[in-house]
């Protein structure tokens, strides 16, 4: 909501993307948020990134384009106090 967005733009909070991934193997993907993108490249079963610079007021679009198939157990986007 706009109150949350104002907390992010004021610098009080950051927006964190967290994923729980399958345990084995390497996971690589391009992650797009709105018109920005970054790379996921990990062998871990967890991944997190501050995406505050990628979010916009209102609706945001997240797209995950894997290099090879892997499972995402959970995906959460939440606010975290700085």
């Amino acid at each position: 909501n706009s109150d949350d967005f104002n907390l992010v733009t004021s610098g009080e909070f950051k927006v964190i993307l967290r994923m729980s991934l399958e345990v084995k193997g390497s996971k690589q993907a391009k992650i797009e948020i709105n018109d920005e993108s970054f790379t996921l490249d990990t062998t871990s079963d967890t991944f997190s990134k501050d995406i505050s610079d990628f979010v916009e007021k209102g609706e945001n679009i997240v797209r995950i384009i894997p290099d090879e198939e892997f499972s995402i157990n959970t995906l959460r986007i939440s606010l975290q106090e700085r």
Side-chain angles (χ1 to χ4, degrees), residues 11-65:
E12 293 177 62
F13 282 77
K14 56 188 174 180
V15 182
I16 303 295
L17 166 72
R18 287 189 177 88
M19 291 189 283
S20 170
L21 308 167
E22 66 182 77
V23 175
K24 61 182 179 178
S26 178
K27 283 77 72 178
Q28 287 123 6
K30 178 180 179 183
I31 300 177
E32 296 176 349
I33 301 175
N34 301 315
D35 294 327
E36 303 289 334
S37 66
F38 58 91
T39 302
L40 176 148
D41 187 358
T42 187
T43 55
S44 176
D45 63 347
T46 60
F47 176 82
S48 66
K49 181 164 180 75
D50 180 347
I51 59 168
S52 301
D53 292 338
F54 303 133
V55 297
E56 300 171 355
K57 189 172 185 173
E59 186 174 301
N60 290 269
I61 304 208
V62 178
R63 184 173 175 195
I64 300 171
I65 306 153

